[in-house]
Amino acid sequence: MQTDIGNNLTRAIELLTNNQVVAVPTETVYGLAGNATSPTAIQAIFKVKNRPSWNPLIVHVPHFQAVFPYISELPDKAKLLADAFWPGPLTLLLPGNGVLPGAVNNYLPKVAFRVPAHPVMQALLQQLPFPLAAPSANVYKRISPTTAAHVYKSLAGKIPYILDGGNCGYGIESTVVGFDTAGQPVVYRQGIITLQALEAVTGCPVLLPEKDAAKASPGMATVHYAPFTPLQLVLQAAPIAAEAPARSGFLCFSRPVQGHPLQHQFVLSTQGDLHEAAANLYRGLHYLDELNLDIIFAELLPDTGVGAAANDRLQRAAAMYQSQAATLITT
Ligand code: TXA
Ligand code: MG
């Protein structure tokens, strides 16, 4: 299948209306979108992404009111959060009413909803008579895409069209928030909307899931977002540079490592700004991975606010390589 990249909204609408999947821009990462009301389109998303069917999808709607046809009730704190952060990088887990096909959320009681803010995605949703199911537009477990070129690299030949909306402004996936039986917010995935911001709006402490969270939010897999090159996390890159193998890459927070080839390094934010660093995180990983080096060292960011969300992604990206990276360092 030929994969085109362009900004033709009409073509995207035509394909989506015919149950095809299309990569779409959002303010977080690119999504792999299909008609959320069509079992055929949902099946196509799982197939293209090579994603197991037990890992549920997020349903994207144009505005808050558009969730009501698909839910049985709205927790009070969910309303507060939707009013404060939609459109934006927040996903809410809400009780479904069975109208959407069960395949979209693996027949779980909750369905994930998000109102994205990206103008191209907004225009698309406003012109479609159905919501869009969309996971991130990467092959399962691999680095998420923040440009149309990233999507092309991972899905060329598998999808007909990539709707190009430029670089994703936030660069990491939405914050996923559910509610326990008492209506308290629980954060299943950290993101741009920080725990502090959620607490400020809901007026109560937000909970982090228990250790067996994988059951509550199946996508919280330890291994995720991984580059093909072994990845090792470090607190600071500079001290290890002297002993690092010659063909090492460095993903640095604010400053490059002295004495190491600059083309093998990617600095996330020269200003030391956490939002800018998060926005560049996947782009930096894609860049270094394409160099086919022996190992990538990535500096952890200051673990506050958006830095914590970015560190969560780095930890999952490195999980696959923990033992391999250790061997490379010591030999
Ligand atoms: O920013 C984003 O959220 C992007 C853009 C495209 O909107 N989408 C995204 O989708 O990151 P995905 O599929 O890569 O991640 C969705 C996360 C997964 O961790 C999944 O397990 C969780 O949301 N999730 C979805 N539905 C759920 C449900 N019903 N119950 C629990 N967790 C759910
Ligand atoms: Mg994903």
Side-chain angles (χ1 to χ4, degrees), residues 1-293:
M1 179 189 297
Q2 183 181 316
T3 303
D4 297 326
I5 304 181
N7 52 17
N8 186 340
L9 214 55
T10 313
R11 172 134 189 238
I13 289 169
E14 240 170 60
L15 289 165
L16 289 163
T17 305
N18 288 316
N19 286 331
Q20 304 241 41
V21 294
V22 172
V24 296
T26 85
E27 71 277 28
T28 57
V29 299
Y30 273 74
L32 183 64
N35 179 352
T37 67
S38 156
T40 313
I42 294 166
Q43 197 185 12
I45 294 172
F46 281 103
K47 183 153 184 262
V48 166
K49 209 178 138 78
N50 198 18
R51 173 166 168 144
S53 60
W54 48 257
N55 195 345
L57 306 178
I58 297 175
V59 176
H60 297 70
V61 290
H63 49 78
F64 185 11
Q65 296 305 315
V67 302
F68 288 100
Y70 308 112
I71 64 171
S72 59
E73 61 176 302
L74 184 69
D76 291 346
K77 302 226 158 44
K79 178 170 185 330
L80 290 177
L81 291 172
D83 282 338
F85 297 116
W86 278 353
L90 174 73
T91 293
L92 294 176
L93 301 179
L94 303 175
N97 64 3
V99 169
L100 288 171
V104 85
N105 67 337
N106 194 29
Y107 303 86
L108 291 165
K110 308 272 177 65
V111 185
F113 290 97
R114 184 160 100 80
V115 177
H118 193 289
V120 174
M121 181 64 162
Q122 265 293 328
L124 188 61
L125 287 168
Q126 280 168 27
Q127 288 179 54
L128 288 169
F130 48 78
L132 290 176
S136 50
N138 50 299
V139 169
Y140 184 56
K141 291 196 172 175
R142 292 296 169 187
I143 312 172
S144 301
T146 57
T147 67
H150 293 160
V151 180
Y152 190 85
K153 194 171 74 171
S154 124
L155 298 179
K158 294 182 168 181
I159 56 174
Y161 200 55
I162 300 170
L163 189 58
D164 191 350
N167 294 347
C168 301
Y170 289 128
I172 56 175
E173 296 85 349
S174 60
T175 307
V176 177
V177 180
F179 303 89
D180 68 8
T181 43
Q184 293 273 110
V186 184
V187 172
Y188 290 101
R189 181 174 69 186
Q190 297 200 52
I192 297 296
I193 298 184
T194 59
L195 304 181
Q196 295 85 336
L198 297 169
E199 286 176 351
V201 167
T202 56
C204 67
V206 300
L207 312 167
L208 289 168
E210 315 264 311
K211 270 262 177 286
D212 60 350
K215 286 181 205 141
S217 187
M220 293 187 76
T222 315
V223 175
H224 208 147
Y225 316 107
F228 289 96
T229 316
L231 177 69
Q232 167 81 46
L233 305 187
V234 294
L235 287 176
Q236 282 196 322
I240 56 139
E243 296 158 45
R247 290 186 46 76
S248 296
F250 284 94
L251 185 72
C252 304
F253 174 39
S254 58
R255 236 169 289 156
V257 170
Q258 298 292 317
H260 196 79
L262 279 176
Q263 69 272 22
H264 292 174
Q265 304 195 52
F266 191 100
V267 176
L268 292 174
S269 168
T270 49
Q271 309 291 317
D273 178 85
L274 290 177
H275 274 94
E276 187 182 18
N280 285 326
L281 183 72
Y282 290 138
R283 196 211 305 233
L285 282 173
H286 276 288
Y287 169 80
L288 292 171
D289 202 21
E290 275 166 31
L291 299 176
N292 287 317
L293 299 168

